[in-house]
Amino acid sequence: MSEGAVTKADLDALENRPLERLERSETTLLREFRKWAISFESRFKANQVQVDGFSERMVSLEGCVSDLERRD
């Protein structure tokens, strides 16, 4: 075979190279998205705790206001 001859293995390698790069890119993107999602979920839960606390305080304040309104 001459130096410039291309084998089936060479063609297969060239065909698979873009797929491998695409798979690596997808894996990297999915990994980073998962990190972001975990971080977002943590922040969301922390915010939900605060909102729940504010809701409890609001109910308490509404009760106090109702009591004051009844006194008048």
Side-chain angles (χ1 to χ4, degrees):
M1 203 178 282
S2 68
E3 277 184 40
V6 177
T7 66
K8 174 142 175 48
D10 293 333
L11 292 174
D12 288 342
L14 284 174
E15 185 177 305
N16 289 332
R17 194 175 302 161
L19 293 175
E20 291 168 359
R21 290 182 67 194
L22 180 61
E23 287 176 358
R24 271 197 316 271
S25 296
E26 287 175 341
T27 301
T28 301
L29 284 170
L30 289 171
R31 189 177 296 123
E32 292 304 314
F33 180 73
R34 178 161 166 65
K35 287 181 197 176
W36 174 86
I38 290 169
S39 172
F40 176 81
E41 183 177 17
S42 176
R43 288 191 311 271
F44 180 81
K45 286 180 180 178
N47 287 340
Q48 190 61 45
V49 168
Q50 285 185 336
V51 168
D52 291 344
F54 288 137
S55 294
E56 288 177 22
R57 291 176 68 190
M58 181 65 90
V59 167
S60 176
L61 289 171
E62 287 173 345
C64 291
V65 169
S66 292
D67 290 345
L68 289 172
E69 288 175 340
R70 277 189 234 124
R71 289 181 189 172
D72 288 340

